[in-house]
Amino acid sequence: MTDINENIESPFKLMVSFDKLLKHYEELSHSDDEFIAAKARRVLKTAEGYPILREGITNPQDLVTREKEISIILQDSFSKILTTNEIKTASVPLHNLIFNSSERFKSIIKAAGDDFELEIKNIPKDDTYIVACTIVLAFCYGYNINFKRPFYYEIPDADGIIQYYKILYNADFTEITPNKDAPKITQDDVDELLDNFENIDLWKKKFPPGSYTFKGFVISNIFNVTDDQSISNIKSSLIGEEKRKDEGFMNNFHEIFQSLLGLKDIKVGFSIYNQEDDTFERVYGVGMNSYLLNNLDSKSCSGALCDVSYNTLLKEKKFYTISDVDKFYELCKGKSPQYKTLKEQHIKSAILAPIANDEGLMGILEIVSEKPKVLNSINANKLVDVMPFIISAVERSKSEEENLIEAVIQQECTSIHPSVNWRFVKEARNFIKDQLNGNEPSFNKIAFDNIYPLFGQIDIKGSSEARNAATQKDLSIQLQSIKAIIEHAIELENLPIYGQFLYQINEFLEGLDAHFQVDSEQQISAFINQDITPLLDHFKAVDELRDEISSYFESIDDKVDVLYHHRKDYDDTIALINKEMAALLDKKQIEAQAMYPHYFERFKTDGVEHNMYIGESITKEDSFNPIYLYNLRLWQLQVMCEMENSFYSMQSSFPVKLDVASMILVFNQPLSISFRMDEKQFDVDGTYNARYEIVKKRVDKAYIKGTTERVTQKGKISIVYSQKQDEIEYLRYIKFLQSKKYLDDDVEIVELQDLQAVTGLKAIRVSVLYHKDQDDKSFYTYDDLMKEIKA
């Protein structure tokens, strides 16, 4: 480098000059104090033969050549007496060029290593240019724009531990002058710049590169602020959002504590205290460890700590330090759990710090080292200043976790749909406002008027019959097993009571084959629990029966205490169907909400039902148009076809083969809904609107008029309605979906038998076209699909 201005962009043309300092010495040369005057004359004489020292130096080599003279000129600023204590440099601003420094600074740089490059931290590259511009505004135009930010060096010590050094500049010996091409800065320019800090191009326009001459030098007074900066870094790290998901969080945390304690080989861990169970639990997140728990997820406090450490941490809430793990392990003969656990992890010294507030212990901060005695009761006191921030962070984290738990419960159990959440927020704010104003708060009724309902379901056909059949099989197998054991027992000991039990079992078996009733399962279970189980326990003492009885009890499910094989297959099938259908519907709903916001809820029964409401009062915006209702109806019909296809593509993987039937209920008139606080769900308002709910509950069981045929049939979608205009509308949708190969051509319109308090219902039924799998381009009716699957 032949010019210190190379490879940097700045409004300054930098020149290292001692002119202003030498002028100060010229004044001192006339001092009444002869000693001061003589020294000033000696400095001036040193500079006399080298005009470049006043005119300005731009070539770094000239600084090296004139190093001796510069040292003499700066002698008063760099006292020889203080040089091994003060950290001080002479340089130019916002530049890493240093041409004079104290011995203490030189030793710090030497310890950092040959490959270390000094660099000012916490100032972005573009900001460096802007800072220089604000300096110009202050020096040349008198606009004192406060842009003072603390500047730092981060320099590793001989052990590789980062030390933080704060830089304070003394600019008494600098001059800044505009060059000929420098634009004149006006008040309007300043006003514009005040509103455009991040617009680097604007700053460069007002202050072109090299348009001002910086002549002089700055003295940097540097202070080691590692402790303060470490505390600040801990505070900043703990404030960050989603810390547990950040892979670098714990690495940074280790480095911060290493700087605070001045120790390279230490690690940081955490464990959370569960007061309810008196246990320590692992903090889950990337890189999070607990050295008290080692590989366990949780552990009782008494199992993790001895009595002394337990009282110190939990009762007294004081630091517990272990300077030599091996030593204390030997003294307690391995009986104290904390020494045993730490020794297993090759930890030699540790500090356990309680994270506690007025309400009690929340967790343990664990600092450990694989070196003995480096962590002890003395340096543990360095944690006193950081613990308040850690306590505050844990308090906030606990609060966030409680809110998250509440949100999960709300989502999974009592969900409030995002489309209507704004109304709940509004009422909650009013509730809180009343509380703060000393009024009696009440949560007002939340209702939405003039909205259009949509209802659909994909229902499992014959679910009751399938469950009864599974129950019959399980009970029959269980009774047959019991019968075989009792018959064997009669061969060994023919007691009349055994014959009576056999008679009862045969009665039950005949009843299962002939007429399974609702209470049959309960009667048989009561008989087994009250009469048979005690008898089998009695038989366990008989050697000849022991194997049979063991086999029988192994076949009994521990959770439900019955033979649970066919019923489990049935229950698993229902759960899988509901899970897959609900997941598909939820995924599709995201697309529908993007088209136009509306209320949506779904329920898992023997199948999946869903409600949707759409209208102006829900969206809160003056944007609703009937076209969005028609679009949602078409979307619903199409999604029902896709759910049918998805179901039959998975049917072969279900433990029990079941069929489904889909239905859509069309209600043409707008209605009102309100949130029922007691049931935590929306329901329709008013007597007329209640008719809609009655139809929803009963229509899937309705028969076609004059027949015993249900309106819902496997392989078909049934669209139930009451108005002619609904029929016309849905026939259009069906025709469109037929062109897309979603539906077959066998459209039929049927009348339904009257329901209680509901008359005049009709239904459009049409067959769904299926694919065998996603890659299959062929289309099948239900019957064709079943033949293909069985082929």
Side-chain angles (χ1 to χ4, degrees):
M1 183 170 67
T2 59
D3 193 310
I4 60 176
N5 295 286
E6 285 180 21
N7 303 321
I8 63 168
E9 191 174 33
S10 167
F12 293 141
K13 180 183 178 184
L14 297 171
M15 300 178 71
V16 177
S17 167
F18 304 95
D19 184 51
K20 198 167 182 180
L21 176 60
L22 291 171
K23 286 178 179 177
H24 184 63
Y25 275 116
E26 287 173 354
E27 294 177 7
L28 292 177
S29 67
H30 303 294
S31 172
D32 294 335
D33 188 322
E34 184 55 35
F35 178 78
I36 293 175
K39 187 173 185 180
R41 288 192 292 272
R42 187 169 72 86
V43 170
L44 292 170
K45 186 175 181 181
T46 299
E48 273 181 11
Y50 309 101
I52 194 173
L53 295 174
R54 285 183 181 268
E55 293 167 0
I57 298 170
T58 58
N59 190 331
Q61 185 57 45
D62 292 337
L63 292 170
V64 176
T65 304
R66 302 274 75 85
E67 183 178 1
K68 180 181 177 182
E69 291 76 19
I70 292 171
S71 177
I72 294 171
I73 293 171
L74 295 177
Q75 196 173 65
D76 285 341
S77 300
F78 290 80
S79 169
K80 291 294 183 183
I81 295 174
L82 301 176
T83 190
T84 58
N85 184 275
E86 287 186 332
I87 310 173
K88 185 180 285 190
T89 66
S91 62
V92 290
L94 309 175
H95 198 295
N96 292 324
L97 172 71
I98 292 173
F99 53 84
N100 198 75
S101 62
S102 66
E103 292 301 319
R104 173 83 182 277
F105 180 81
K106 291 175 182 176
S107 67
I108 289 170
I109 297 300
K110 184 178 180 181
D114 295 337
D115 57 347
F116 174 74
E117 293 185 12
L118 191 66
E119 183 181 357
I120 299 172
K121 297 294 182 182
N122 76 312
I123 179 167
K125 186 177 180 181
D126 284 349
D127 286 5
T128 304
Y129 196 102
I130 295 170
V131 171
C133 295
T134 62
I135 294 171
V136 172
L137 285 172
F139 265 78
C140 299
Y141 300 99
Y143 293 107
N144 192 15
I145 298 174
N146 190 356
F147 187 78
K148 291 182 179 178
R149 289 181 61 191
F151 297 138
Y152 293 91
Y153 290 132
E154 292 180 12
I155 307 174
D157 64 13
D159 296 323
I161 300 170
I162 296 295
Q163 302 291 308
Y164 298 92
Y165 296 91
K166 188 176 182 178
I167 309 165
L168 295 180
Y169 289 115
N170 182 333
D172 288 347
F173 308 112
T174 63
E175 297 175 284
I176 300 174
T177 54
N179 298 332
K180 291 181 181 180
D181 59 345
K184 180 71 174 175
I185 301 298
T186 65
Q187 182 65 52
D188 289 341
D189 293 322
V190 175
D191 293 342
E192 186 179 4
L193 291 168
L194 289 175
D195 293 326
N196 291 277
F197 173 78
E198 294 182 352
N199 188 345
I200 184 65
D201 292 332
L202 179 64
W203 287 89
K204 287 180 178 179
K205 179 181 177 183
K206 306 293 185 185
F207 302 92
S211 55
Y212 291 81
T213 296
F214 174 95
K215 187 176 179 182
F217 67 98
V218 294
I219 294 175
S220 300
N221 293 287
I222 303 169
F223 304 91
N224 189 324
V225 292
T226 300
D227 287 356
D228 292 340
Q229 188 61 32
S230 297
I231 293 169
S232 177
N233 288 347
I234 288 171
K235 184 177 178 181
S236 300
S237 297
L238 293 171
I239 289 172
E241 295 292 330
E242 296 189 332
K243 299 175 286 293
R244 297 182 195 178
K245 297 180 182 178
D246 184 358
E247 291 187 13
F249 171 71
M250 282 308 297
N251 288 334
N252 293 337
F253 218 57
H254 292 319
E255 291 176 3
I256 292 168
F257 273 93
Q258 287 169 2
S259 294
L260 177 67
L261 296 172
L263 299 170
K264 180 65 175 175
D265 299 315
I266 62 170
K267 296 177 182 177
V268 182
F270 296 94
S271 51
I272 293 297
Y273 176 58
N274 182 333
Q275 184 177 10
E276 185 177 342
D277 298 331
D278 196 32
T279 58
F280 291 124
E281 297 176 353
R282 180 179 297 280
V283 179
Y284 291 101
V286 178
M288 296 281 189
N289 289 316
S290 170
Y291 300 99
L292 270 180
L293 297 175
N294 199 357
N295 295 320
L296 299 177
D297 290 331
S298 65
K299 195 174 188 179
S300 68
C301 293
S302 59
L305 301 170
C306 68
D307 291 343
V308 174
S309 57
Y310 182 95
N311 288 327
T312 303
L313 290 167
L314 275 74
K315 303 299 183 185
E316 300 175 12
K317 304 187 186 92
K318 293 181 179 178
F319 297 155
Y320 186 80
T321 59
I322 309 165
S323 61
D324 192 332
V325 171
D326 291 343
K327 174 185 173 183
F328 286 100
Y329 179 82
E330 295 297 330
L331 287 173
C332 74
K333 299 179 180 179
K335 293 180 180 179
S336 294
Q338 72 271 20
Y339 303 137
K340 184 175 184 293
T341 303
L342 295 174
K343 186 175 176 63
E344 288 172 351
Q345 299 169 81
H346 308 291
I347 292 168
K348 304 297 184 183
S349 59
I351 299 172
L352 303 178
I355 305 169
N357 57 13
D358 293 339
E359 296 177 6
L361 186 72
M362 295 180 289
I364 302 290
L365 169 67
E366 309 160 359
I367 303 176
V368 301
S369 172
E370 293 184 1
K371 293 182 179 179
K373 300 179 183 178
V374 297
L375 295 171
N376 50 66
S377 62
I378 296 175
N379 57 17
N381 285 282
K382 282 201 167 190
L383 299 178
V384 170
D385 294 324
V386 305
M387 290 310 294
F389 303 119
I390 293 174
I391 290 168
S392 177
V394 172
E395 287 175 333
R396 187 174 64 253
S397 180
K398 283 188 71 174
S399 177
E400 289 171 356
E401 187 169 27
E402 287 168 4
N403 291 338
L404 180 60
I405 289 169
E406 186 64 32
V408 170
I409 292 171
Q410 187 180 55
Q411 176 180 325
E412 298 298 323
C413 307
T414 56
S415 176
I416 294 174
H417 195 263
S419 63
V420 295
N421 187 64
W422 65 273
R423 277 297 304 276
F424 287 86
V425 171
K426 179 181 177 182
E427 293 304 330
R429 283 179 176 155
N430 290 334
F431 185 94
I432 294 169
K433 185 169 67 175
D434 287 342
Q435 274 186 324
L436 294 175
N437 290 335
N439 301 325
E440 185 66 31
S442 63
F443 205 92
N444 295 325
K445 178 181 177 181
I446 293 178
F448 298 95
D449 300 323
N450 295 315
I451 58 173
Y452 293 89
L454 296 90
F455 173 77
Q457 68 176 34
I458 181 165
D459 190 43
I460 298 170
K461 296 294 289 181
S463 57
S464 298
E465 293 85 350
R467 191 186 192 286
N468 287 343
T471 303
Q472 284 175 287
K473 290 177 183 177
D474 280 347
L475 292 176
S476 180
I477 293 170
Q478 189 171 359
L479 287 171
Q480 291 287 2
S481 297
I482 295 168
K483 181 179 176 181
I485 293 171
I486 294 176
E487 285 176 344
H488 193 180
I490 289 173
E491 294 175 6
L492 300 173
E493 186 181 19
N494 191 3
L495 298 179
I497 189 64
Y498 298 165
Q500 192 274 325
F501 285 143
L502 276 182
Y503 170 79
Q504 186 66 56
I505 290 169
N506 287 325
E507 285 280 300
F508 282 132
L509 288 170
E510 289 176 14
L512 287 174
D513 290 337
H515 46 81
F516 181 81
Q517 296 178 344
V518 176
D519 62 345
S520 297
E521 182 178 2
Q522 185 178 358
Q523 290 177 6
I524 293 171
S525 294
F527 166 68
I528 292 172
N529 291 332
Q530 295 169 15
D531 298 326
I532 298 302
T533 301
L535 178 66
L536 297 180
D537 287 336
H538 169 67
F539 286 161
K540 286 179 180 177
V542 182
D543 292 341
E544 291 87 345
L545 299 176
R546 188 173 292 120
D547 290 343
E548 285 183 79
I549 292 171
S550 295
S551 178
Y552 167 80
F553 279 112
E554 286 173 4
S555 70
I556 302 302
D557 188 277
D558 293 335
K559 293 180 181 178
V560 293
D561 203 27
V562 294
L563 190 141
Y564 183 60
H565 177 68
H566 293 92
R567 277 174 289 187
K568 185 177 187 304
D569 285 345
Y570 169 82
D571 290 341
D572 288 348
T573 299
I574 296 295
L576 278 169
I577 292 171
N578 286 346
K579 177 185 175 183
E580 296 296 338
M581 294 300 99
L584 176 59
L585 188 57
D586 289 347
K587 182 180 177 182
K588 293 291 182 182
Q589 248 295 300
I590 297 172
E591 301 171 6
Q593 290 292 341
M595 297 177 198
Y596 192 82
H598 57 278
Y599 180 81
F600 168 81
E601 62 183 358
R602 59 157 175 76
F603 308 95
K604 296 177 184 178
T605 54
D606 282 352
V608 176
E609 299 177 358
H610 66 270
N611 288 315
M612 295 185 289
Y613 299 102
I614 187 170
E616 189 75 62
S617 61
I618 287 179
T619 54
K620 194 177 63 170
E621 300 172 1
D622 186 18
S623 62
F624 179 73
N625 187 288
I627 193 67
Y628 296 117
L629 169 63
Y630 305 147
N631 181 71
L632 192 59
R633 286 175 172 173
L634 175 58
W635 171 88
Q636 181 189 36
L637 181 56
Q638 180 173 324
V639 169
M640 295 293 283
C641 294
E642 292 178 12
M643 289 173 71
E644 283 263 351
N645 256 285
S646 179
F647 171 81
Y648 282 107
S649 69
M650 294 183 289
Q651 187 196 50
S652 60
S653 64
F654 295 145
V656 177
K657 181 185 174 184
L658 296 171
D659 285 300
V660 294
S662 298
M663 184 203 73
I664 290 172
L665 174 62
V666 184
F667 197 77
N668 194 272
Q669 298 299 315
L671 45 72
S672 299
I673 60 170
S674 63
F675 189 76
R676 293 174 62 95
M677 293 295 181
D678 52 348
E679 297 181 6
K680 305 300 181 190
Q681 67 179 44
F682 279 99
D683 206 349
V684 295
D685 268 348
T687 305
Y688 173 75
N689 294 336
R691 178 173 177 267
Y692 172 71
E693 289 295 331
I694 293 170
V695 175
K696 270 171 54 177
K697 288 180 172 64
R698 299 175 182 172
V699 71
D700 66 321
K701 302 294 189 294
Y703 294 100
I704 295 175
K705 202 165 192 176
T707 72
T708 57
E709 181 184 346
R710 288 273 179 86
V711 65
T712 55
Q713 292 290 319
K714 60 188 179 184
K716 293 178 180 288
I717 288 184
S718 301
I719 304 165
V720 178
Y721 61 96
S722 61
Q723 303 292 324
K724 183 65 177 178
Q725 64 203 70
D726 297 330
E727 179 183 303
I728 295 170
E729 178 184 342
Y730 273 86
L731 286 174
R732 290 204 310 267
Y733 301 153
I734 290 169
K735 188 173 182 180
F736 171 71
L737 292 178
Q738 285 170 336
S739 70
K740 299 291 185 182
K741 300 299 183 184
Y742 279 88
L743 297 171
D744 203 1
D745 296 330
D746 59 340
V747 178
E748 57 178 332
I749 298 174
V750 296
E751 291 186 41
L752 305 189
Q753 285 186 357
D754 294 343
L755 303 174
Q756 183 180 346
V758 180
T759 60
L761 292 178
K762 299 175 75 175
I764 304 171
R765 295 202 305 188
V766 58
S767 295
V768 179
L769 290 178
Y770 300 96
H771 307 275
K772 281 195 298 184
D773 53 57
Q774 290 183 344
D775 298 326
D776 184 21
K777 302 302 180 184
S778 303
F779 303 98
Y780 304 89
T781 65
Y782 173 82
D783 291 334
D784 292 337
L785 182 67
M786 293 300 108
K787 290 176 184 176
E788 282 288 326
I789 291 173
K790 293 175 183 177

